[in-house]
Every structure is written in structure tokens, then in C-alpha cells.
Amino acid sequence: MTRLILHPDRLFPPDEATRAIARRLHDTVRDLPLISPHGHTDPAWFALNQPFANPAELLIVPDHYVFRMLYSQGVPMESLGIPRRDGGPVESDPRKIWRTFAEHYRLFRGTPSRLWLDWVFVEVFGLDQRLTAENADEFYDAIDAALKQPDFRPRALFERFNIEALATTESPLDPLDHHRAIRESGWSGRVISAYRPDSVIDPENPAFAANLRRFGEISGEDVGSWQGYLRAHENRRAFFREAGATSTDHGHPTAFTTDLPLAEAEALYATILSGDFTAADAELFRGQMLTEMARMSIDDEMVMQIHPGVFRSHNEAIFERFGRDMGADMPVAGEYVRALKPLLDRFGNEPAFSLILFTIDETVYSRELAPLAGHYPCLKLGPPWWFHDSPEGMRRFREQTTETAGFYNTVGFNDDTRAFLSIPARHDVARRMDCAFLARLVAEHRLDEDEAIETAVELVTHQPTTAFKL
Ligand SMILES: [Zn+2]
């Protein structure tokens, strides 16, 4: 057996002088509360506060970062307990799923998943060996026993993780019952929603027509007309706002926007409603809706986020068998300068407007996103996202954006995860990488250490709270 130790200098620069600065910076931010303004945890966990079921269902089955790596090495998804759409047989013994995972743990060497999982083993469960096929059962039993203790229920972990605010993400069709239950429970944890209307904005979503019917019902508006459809959004946004939401989020295929005259927007909506539309009509509609969402953001002051550029469910066979969110989403090349111009022409200088941009095409950081955010007062850059939520991705982000956007056009870290236990681990990586980057600026005599300390602190306090209006 090999001891598992989280080295206090992990991710810091290897040279002694810079590392010493990084350590000092990190000392000032290490214990500050976690702010999680964008993510995908399940509000039911905090509303009901039930124990998590077992190690496999907590750490493997819901985490596409984990199971897609095993799939990429030929491990069938069925053997990892991933539910099939046709209800066909999949592994149902969580211990067997855990063993399969442990046998393949070496696949995560050098990946952020390995950093996060090791952190969870050590810091959450007090395990002190490296996970192997041989000690898989020992890990399983220890984690399973812990999960039955009151200290490992969702609310207790939320408090232990020192989370100051946590945003989940819901569709406009969600009645937000769990959020209401959390608020009415008297528990002090702050869990808010975010308005994610893709399911009623993307005409190419297979459930779009059904979603639209439900959207009309839940909002009490007649979505048969363009004006009624826009009122339905305003209505649901107000409902989310009352429930504490401070942001909207838009997962479009591209960042394309447009600003059509009213008559053209009405005609386009009629075409979309008819079901007889082209791919170009669908893209035009999504682009018009980003501009409409920006307009509504100015009225209700919700911060707007765009997470574009993902080719969803790239693997047809996996989609057929298991559905969406199966680790088969792929980045595509992005473009923002031309795509956002119609929206920015209309709202780019509005003091009340705030738009946070994300990308998984890193080539746009220095060429497009940092220059845009370094000019338009409404624009901020979201942190490295998804594939680049890694030490290397964070380093590249600062190296490519700081020259033009500085630190203060960025919004701090988002863990953007449904893997609740990994949230502190992800923030830990982000804090260390920002301290490492700032330490280099100090070592190169480009920044005084007191300024680096102030920046490191603001990146985990002031930047996320102001950018997301928390
Ligand atoms: Zn997200």
C-alpha cells in the first residue's frame, strides 16, 4: 500500500523563490468561504437532506468526467451502472461498480479528476492510502459507513465545506419547490437557482413543442404569439428572481446574436411554432432570443451568462442507448467578435447590463474574449470551463487573458459541477493556480506582494459576489 498525501505545495511553482511567494499568497485565501455562483448540484439534496446512497452513486454514476474516461478505455458504460434509456440491464451492485472504477484509477493520472478524487478521499473521508484494485473494498466500506453518519448529510457537508452561496441551474418549467423548501426550512445555507431557458428557446430540442405547451401553462401566458412568449419569459424570470436567482444561463451551440425588427421576429416565431423551420431559422431564433434575454436582464438586473460552443451527444450510439450528458459532448471552434456585435450594438454600453462569457475554444481568449472584455463595460470573462477546468487550463487562461482584460474583468472561479463533494477540491485547485500565477508576477518584479495578496483575495471574494450580484 502507498500512502496518499495531499502535499501542501501541490500545484505551486517548482522553483524555491516563487514557491515561497505562492505559499504566502495562498495562506491569505486558503480558508476563505467558497462562493459557487454557477453549478449543477441537485437542490433536492439540500431540501430533503437525505443521506447519499452509496460510494458509486455518489462519486461515479453521476460524474461524466469519471465514466467517460473508463469508457474511452473500453469499459462498457453498463458495467458502471449508467442507466439505459430502454431500461435494459446494467450493473446494479454499487460495490462491483466501485471495484471496476478502482481497477482503472491509473487512467486519471495527471487529470484534474485525480486531484479532486484524492482530495475527497483524504479531506472528506480521512482515507490515507492511494486507491488501487487491492484496497477497493476497504475504500468502499469506509465511504459507505461514513455516508450513513449525520455529519455526511448534504447540509452538514455544505456547512463543513464553508460554502457561502451555491447556485443551482433550473429550467423555466421547474416550479422551484426544493428551493422554496430550503428557504422555508429555516436552515441558514444559501442555495439559489439560475434561470436556464434553453429547453424553451432551442427549437431543435426534440421536446421543444411539448416544453412550449408547458411553458404557457406554468407562466399563464399565451405562447401562441411572440409577445405572449416573451411575457412568459418575463413572468418566469420574475418567479426565479423572487426565489433568489441572480443570473440566467444560456447553453447555445454558438454565441450568434441578432436584433430583428419586430415584424421579422414575429414572423420568425410563427415559422418556429409551425414546426416547419430550417436549421438557419433555428439559429436565427436562438440569436434573437439572446438579445431578448439581454433586454430582460437590463429590466430585472439578472446577470446573463453564455456557455456556447458544445457539440452535444457526439456519439450517436451512446446517445441512443443512454441519452444526454454521457461524456460525449465535444468542443467546437468558437467566434464571438462578429457573433455578439448585434447584441452589443444594442446593449453593450448599458450600465445596468452584465454579461459573462465562457468558452471551451481557448484560441479565442487572447484574440477575441480578452479584447472584448477589456473594452465593453458590460462584459466579463468566466473562468476556464469544463475541459479546461484543470491546472493547465487555469494557467493558460491567466496567460492569455491578463494582458488585455486584467484580473478585474474576470469573475473568480465557478466549479460548475454536479459532483458536490468535489466542490472544495475544485476551488482549492483554482486558488492555488491563481496564487502560482500571481507569485510569478511578484518574482518577476511586475507586481508588489501586497498587490498580489489583494488580488488573490478579491478573486475569491469581491469578483464573484459583484459579478453575480450575490
Ligand atoms: Zn454549467
Side-chain angles (χ1 to χ4, degrees), residues 38-40 169 196 249 307 385 416:
H38 174 85
H40 302 278
T169 306
R196 172 87 177 237
D249 183 28
H307 284 89
W385 171 39
D416 198 352

Side-chain angles (χ1 to χ4, degrees), residues 240-361:
F240 273 62
R241 195 88 178 94
E242 279 161 30
T246 68
S247 66
T248 73
D249 183 28
H250 308 276
H252 288 206
T254 72
F256 171 78
T257 66
T258 188
D259 189 16
L260 299 173
L262 178 60
E264 282 178 44
E266 283 175 335
L268 176 62
Y269 185 65
T271 304
I272 295 296
L273 274 190
S274 75
D276 185 18
F277 57 83
T278 63
D281 293 330
E283 180 70 350
L284 195 63
F285 184 71
R286 289 186 294 258
Q288 179 64 27
M289 283 312 296
L290 285 181
T291 305
E292 300 292 345
M293 288 289 121
R295 175 178 63 73
M296 292 180 202
S297 271
I298 290 168
D299 292 340
D300 64 19
E301 296 187 0
M302 286 217 270
V303 175
M304 183 169 176
Q305 306 167 79
I306 306 180
H307 284 89
V310 186
F311 190 122
R312 300 275 172 184
S313 305
H314 192 270
N315 185 331
E316 288 280 343
I318 288 293
F319 177 72
E320 291 303 322
R321 210 152 69 234
F322 299 97
R324 290 169 53 90
D325 300 327
M326 290 296 144
D329 300 336
M330 300 297 155
V332 290
E335 198 283 323
Y336 294 74
V337 169
R338 292 188 179 84
L340 290 172
K341 190 159 190 328
L343 185 153
L344 292 172
D345 279 346
R346 186 134 166 227
F347 301 119
N349 302 296
E350 289 281 341
F353 183 45
S354 186
L355 173 57
I356 303 174
L357 296 172
F358 295 79
T359 191
I360 38 178
D361 175 1

Side-chain angles (χ1 to χ4, degrees), residues 364-375:
V364 302
Y365 275 138
S366 54
R367 188 181 65 238
E368 302 192 24
L369 289 185
L372 282 164
H375 169 74

Side-chain angles (χ1 to χ4, degrees), residues 102-133:
E103 280 162 24
H104 294 86
Y105 199 50
R106 70 183 176 287
L107 301 180
F108 296 100
R109 288 176 186 165
T111 69
S113 297
R114 168 69 181 265
L115 290 170
W116 304 329
L117 286 159
D118 280 354
W119 187 95
V120 168
F121 296 152
V122 172
E123 293 288 337
V124 180
F125 296 109
L127 297 160
D128 60 1
Q129 308 167 29
R130 192 198 299 152
L131 177 63
T132 62

